[in-house]
Amino acid sequence: EVQLLETGGGVVQPGGSLRLSCTASGFTFRNYAMSWVRQAPGKGLEWVSGIRDNGASTYYAETVKGRFTISRDNSKETVYLQMRSLRAEDTAMYYCAKAPTGGPLQLPSGGLLGWLDPWGLGTQVIVSS
Amino acid sequence: EIVLTQSPATLSVSPGESATLSCRASQGISSNLAWYQHKPGQAPRLLIYGASTRVTGIPARFSGSGSGTEFTLTISRLQTEDFAVYYCQQYNNWFQYTFGQGTKLEIK
């Protein structure tokens, strides 16, 4: 069974830093891209960041670019999200999710493989003084 | 950025009836759209990808349709466990994803 376990959340002051971890099991981690998605209180889902299978390419939402860094350690089957210069608006539940491929792949039909499945239960981040 | 607009924000339906949820994209995204179900305290659950392909294990009462800019998730014969928040997600560009704001499906 594929499982994702997020850890590292907590309460941090504005301007502070936090590193989230997502440990995977049940699949060949090094073959798949991974992503982080967050949900602020009372809000919807927001895609945050992604990293391809070999870690060579990383991607960010504009709201976190320059402040967050995604990385992975395939030997530990773990993906990380280093968060710096945290703001109140970064307060959210942070979910880790698995991509269906290791990198961009276009089907002959022109379709892409970009859904996220499965997701972990999330780790809560609260930015408050 | 591709904006997804879901409607309605809240839908009240009785068990046993059907529900139709809509998702509109600000530009054409072919069939690069997924639907998720999210319940409080749980991980979001993938239901549909490629706009209309149901994930293995998802009941047949869930169906997706559409392409381009207009998409629909239909849930027939609603059961109590189906009441949740539903999100659409576009993946028209690799890791430049966006989600709709969600539709809350509640018991009437």
Side-chain angles (χ1 to χ4, degrees), chain A residues 34 39 44-45 47 51 59 95 103-104 111-117 119-120, chain B residues 32 34 36 38 41-44 46 49 87 89 91-95 97 99:
Chain A
M34 299 294 293
Q39 183 177 33
L45 300 173
W47 178 79
I51 185 169
Y59 308 81
Y95 297 98
L112 294 173
L113 303 177
W115 54 90
L116 299 172
D117 180 55
W119 301 46
Chain B
N32 296 317
Y36 300 85
H38 193 198
Q42 297 187 17
L46 176 68
Y49 61 88
Y87 294 94
Q89 174 229 340
Y91 47 89
N92 200 55
N93 293 293
W94 179 254
F95 276 156
Y97 302 159
F99 291 85

Side-chain angles (χ1 to χ4, degrees), chain A residues 25 45 57 63:
Chain A
S25 61
L45 300 173
S57 298
T63 52

Side-chain angles (χ1 to χ4, degrees), chain A residues 6 37-39 45 93-97 116-122, chain B residues 35-47 85 87 99:
Chain A
E6 303 95 335
V37 179
R38 68 185 180 184
Q39 183 177 33
L45 300 173
M93 181 71 77
Y94 284 74
Y95 297 98
C96 168
L116 299 172
D117 180 55
W119 301 46
L121 288 174
Chain B
W35 289 95
Y36 300 85
Q37 177 190 69
H38 193 198
K39 297 180 180 179
Q42 297 187 17
R45 178 191 183 195
L46 176 68
L47 303 173
V85 179
Y87 294 94
F99 291 85

Side-chain angles (χ1 to χ4, degrees), chain B residues 39-90:
Chain B
K39 297 180 180 179
Q42 297 187 17
R45 178 191 183 195
L46 176 68
L47 303 173
I48 301 282
Y49 61 88
S52 60
T53 302
R54 196 169 48 248
V55 172
T56 301
I58 298 301
R61 61 180 183 275
F62 290 87
S63 64
S65 63
S67 68
T69 61
E70 300 285 343
F71 302 87
T72 300
L73 174 69
T74 302
I75 313 170
S76 58
R77 302 180 304 280
L78 278 163
Q79 300 187 6
T80 54
E81 62 263 32
D82 299 334
F83 291 93
V85 179
Y86 291 84
Y87 294 94
C88 55
Q89 174 229 340
Q90 66 79 21

